[in-house]
C-alpha cells in the first residue's frame, strides 16, 4: 500500500519510500477539518479548543494559522473564485514551503462532511492533549533518572507539578465523565534507580545504626518499608519500629528474635549474618534514612512517568480515562513526596542520646566503619 504523502513532501519521490510510518487516524481528522474550512470558511467561528500547534502535522498547522489570520470571504464570492484559497496558500507557504495548490484540492476532496468540522476539531484537540501529557510524563521519567542533577528530588518534583498542571488543564477542557480507569497494562516493574549495591549498603548501614541508637527510630516515622529495595531489610526495619513502639529493649539480639517471630529467617538469612549486619553502625541513622527515601522518591516518580506514558501510548484510552489514570498515578507520588517533605523540613522534637557534634556532616556519606559483610540471599 503506498504511503500517504505528507503535504510538504515532493510527490515524485514517494514511490521510492517504504511505508514504515503510516498516518494515524488524527492525520485524517486534520485533513477533514482543513478541507471543511477550505470549503466553508465561515465554520472557523465554530472551531474552539485548538491552535496551530494542536496539529500533529506542521504543514496542517500552518494552513490553519493562515486561515485564521485572513478575513473570511463572502460565501457567494467564495463559491465563484479561488482568491481566498490562493491567499491562504500564499500565507501558509511562508512557513511550510512544501504546500501546493494540489494538496489544498486534496483536502477539499477528502472531507466527508463540512458540517462535521466541530467533531473533527474535537478529535484533534484530544490527540493534542494526549501528546502534551506524554511529553510531560516523559520529562518526569527522564528527570528522575538524571544523575547529573545537583538537587534531583526538588527538580523531579517540579516536573511532577508541571505534569499535574497539564492534567488539570486537560480536565478543564474535557467534561467530567464517570467511567473506569484505563485498561492499559502497567509497564514491566523495574528495580530501584541508582546503584543497586550502594542501595543495599545504605539500607544495611541504616539498620545497624538504628539498632545502636533506637531513639532515632522514633524520629523517622517518615520512612516506610516500601522505600527499601531489599525485602529482608524492609522486614528488619519493621522489627525495629515495632520494638521501639513497645518500648522494648533494642539491640542486635532482640532485633534478631523479633525477626524470627515475624518469619524473616525462613528466607534463608543466617542468624549469625544478621547479627553481624546489626552490629556495625556507622554515622547517622537519619542520614541513611534520607538517602533511602530520596531513592524511593525518584524511583516512584520514574514509575509514575512511565505509567502515564503507557496511558498516552494506548489509543483506546479516552480523555476522561487519561485524566483519571494520571491523577491516580500522581497520588502515589504525592504520598511519598509528603514523607520526603516531612523528613527534610521538620525539626527533630527530641535530642538523640548522641551529641549532634559527633554526627557526620550531611553533605557526604559518613563511613566511620567498613560496611558489614553482605548477607546471603
Amino acid at each position: 500500500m503506498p504511503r500517504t504523502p505528507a503535504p510538504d513532501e515532493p510527490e515524485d519521490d514517494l514511490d521510492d519510500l517504504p511505508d514504515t510510518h503510516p498516518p494515524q487516524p488524527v492525520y485524517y481528522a486534520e485533513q477533514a477539518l482543513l478541507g471543511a474550512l477550505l470549503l466553508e470558511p465561515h465554520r472557523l467561528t465554530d472551531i474552539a479548543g485548538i491552535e496551530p500547534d494542536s496539529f500533529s502535522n506542521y504543514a496542517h498547522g500552518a494552513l490553519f494559522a493562515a486561515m485564521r489570520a485572513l478575513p473570511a470571504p463572502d460565501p457567494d464570492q467564495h463559491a465563484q473564485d479561488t482568491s481566498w484559497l490562493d491567499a491562504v496558500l500564499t500565507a501558509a507557504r511562508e512557513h511550510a514551503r512544501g504546500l501546493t495548490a494540489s494538496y489544498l484540492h486534496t483536502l477539499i476532496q477528502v472531507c466527508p462532511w463540512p458540517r462535521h468540522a466541530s467533531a473533527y476539531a474535537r478529535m484533534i484537540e484530544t490527540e493534542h492533549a494526549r501528546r502534551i501529557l506524554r511529553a510531560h510524563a516523559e520529562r518526569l521519567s527522564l528527570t528522575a533518572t538524571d544523575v547529573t542533577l545537583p538537587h534531583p528530588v526538588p527538580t523531579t518534583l517540579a516536573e511532577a507539578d508541571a505534569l499535574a498542571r497539564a492534567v488539570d488543564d486537560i480536565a478543564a477542557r474535557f467534561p467530567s465523565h464517570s467511567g473506569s480507569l484505563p485498561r492499559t497494562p502497567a509497564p514491566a516493574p523495574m528495580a530501584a534507580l541508582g546503584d543497586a549495591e550502594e542501595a543495599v549498603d545504605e539500607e544495611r548501614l541504616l539498620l545497624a545504626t538504628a539498632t545502636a541508637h533506637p531513639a532515632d527510630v522514633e524520629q523517622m516515622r517518615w520512612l516506610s518499608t516500601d522505600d527499601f529495595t531489599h525485602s529482608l531489610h524492609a522486614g528488619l526495619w519493621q522489627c525495629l519500629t515495632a520494638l521501639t513502639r513497645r518500648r522494648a529493649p533494642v539491640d542486635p539480639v532482640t532485633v534478631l528474635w523479633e525477626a524470627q517471630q515475624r518469619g524473616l529467617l525462613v528466607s534463608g538469612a543466617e542468624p549469625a549474618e544478621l547479627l553481624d549486619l546489626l552490629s556495625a553502625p556507622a554515622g547517622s541513622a537519619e542520614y541513611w534514612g534520607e538517602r533511602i527515601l530520596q531513592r524511593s522518591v525518584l524511583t516512584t516518580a520514574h514509575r509514575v512517568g512511565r505509567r502515564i506514558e503507557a496511558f498516552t501510548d494506548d489509543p483506546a484510552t479516552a480523555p476522561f480515562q487519561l485524566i483519571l489514570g494520571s491523577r491516580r498515578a500522581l497520588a502515589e507520588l504525592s504520598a511519598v513526596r509528603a514523607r520526603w517533605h516531612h523528613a527534610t523540613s521538620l525539626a527533630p522534637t527530641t535530642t538523640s542520646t548522641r551529641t549532634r557534634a559527633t554526627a557526620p556532616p550531611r553533605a557526604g556519606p559518613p563511613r566511620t566503619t567498613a560496611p558489614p559483610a553482605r548477607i546471603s540471599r
Side-chain angles (χ1 to χ4, degrees):
M1 179 177 176
R3 186 168 66 89
T4 303
D8 54 350
E9 290 181 324
E11 296 185 7
D12 294 341
D13 298 334
L14 292 177
D15 292 337
D16 298 328
L17 297 176
D19 184 15
T20 55
H21 298 289
Q24 297 301 305
V26 69
Y27 180 87
Y28 300 105
E30 292 175 5
Q31 286 190 319
L33 174 63
L34 295 173
L37 299 179
L38 290 170
L39 276 170
E40 301 179 4
H42 66 277
R43 295 191 181 276
L44 274 165
T45 58
D46 302 330
I47 304 304
I50 62 173
E51 298 293 333
D53 61 359
S54 301
F55 290 78
S56 64
N57 182 282
Y58 178 79
H60 289 171
L63 267 176
F64 183 72
M67 293 182 200
R68 290 206 311 182
L70 295 172
D74 176 77
D76 294 334
Q77 184 66 30
H78 183 60
Q80 297 177 14
D81 61 52
T82 63
S83 57
W84 187 77
L85 296 178
D86 295 338
V88 167
L89 179 60
T90 299
R93 279 175 58 87
E94 294 180 5
H95 303 281
R97 297 182 61 186
L99 284 169
T100 63
S102 65
Y103 187 68
L104 267 61
H105 288 293
T106 297
L107 294 175
I108 293 172
Q109 291 171 356
V110 300
C111 175
W113 294 101
R115 63 175 179 268
H116 295 167
S118 295
Y120 305 145
R122 192 62 165 172
M123 298 172 194
I124 295 167
E125 184 181 9
T126 298
E127 287 304 306
H128 183 228
R130 189 187 304 276
R131 292 194 302 274
I132 288 176
L133 200 58
R134 191 187 198 289
H136 279 287
E138 188 175 35
R139 280 199 292 272
L140 175 61
S141 298
L142 292 174
T143 304
T145 57
D146 189 348
V147 298
T148 66
L149 294 174
H151 305 290
V153 171
T155 306
T156 299
L157 294 180
E159 290 295 344
D161 289 338
L163 173 56
R165 288 193 296 270
V167 173
D168 290 342
D169 179 66
I170 293 170
R173 291 188 284 119
F174 289 87
S176 59
H177 189 291
S178 60
S180 61
L181 287 165
R183 295 181 294 274
T184 309
M190 57 168 290
L193 300 181
D195 188 326
E197 296 294 322
E198 182 181 51
V200 170
D201 284 343
E202 290 172 353
E203 291 174 7
R204 296 206 318 276
L205 289 168
L206 166 68
L207 294 169
T209 307
T211 300
H213 306 284
D216 289 350
V217 177
E218 284 293 318
Q219 310 305 319
M220 297 175 61
R221 296 190 179 186
W222 37 263
L223 191 64
S224 166
T225 55
D226 293 336
D227 300 324
F228 288 78
T229 62
H230 195 292
S231 59
L232 175 61
H233 296 165
L236 290 172
W237 181 250
Q238 280 186 318
C239 295
L240 275 165
T241 56
L243 290 171
T244 55
R245 288 195 191 104
R246 298 200 305 262
R247 306 298 181 191
V250 177
D251 61 37
V253 174
T254 61
V255 175
L256 176 64
W257 185 259
E258 183 76 13
Q260 176 180 270
Q261 302 306 301
R262 291 173 176 266
L264 297 182
L265 301 188
V266 299
S267 62
E270 295 292 336
E273 291 180 327
L274 284 179
L275 286 175
D276 288 343
L277 182 156
L278 297 169
S279 301
S284 163
E286 186 184 42
Y287 172 82
W288 298 120
E290 286 188 16
R291 291 280 297 175
I292 293 167
L293 183 55
Q294 172 175 301
R295 181 176 287 103
S296 180
V297 172
L298 297 177
T299 300
T300 303
H302 183 257
R303 181 170 62 248
V304 167
R306 291 179 65 239
R307 183 74 173 125
I308 296 176
E309 283 184 60
F311 293 155
T312 62
D313 287 341
D314 184 354
T317 305
F320 72 89
Q321 289 180 308
L322 281 176
I323 296 165
L324 184 60
S326 297
R327 284 178 168 167
R328 180 71 62 88
L330 285 166
E332 178 186 354
L333 179 57
S334 295
V336 67
R337 176 182 191 163
R339 293 191 289 110
W340 170 260
H341 179 73
H342 184 73
T344 56
S345 63
L346 187 63
T349 56
T350 61
T351 304
S352 171
T353 56
R354 293 168 294 148
T355 60
R356 291 299 176 184
T358 62
R362 299 288 293 281
R367 289 185 181 271
T368 58
T369 62
R374 194 169 300 282
I375 297 177
S376 302
R377 299 177 195 157

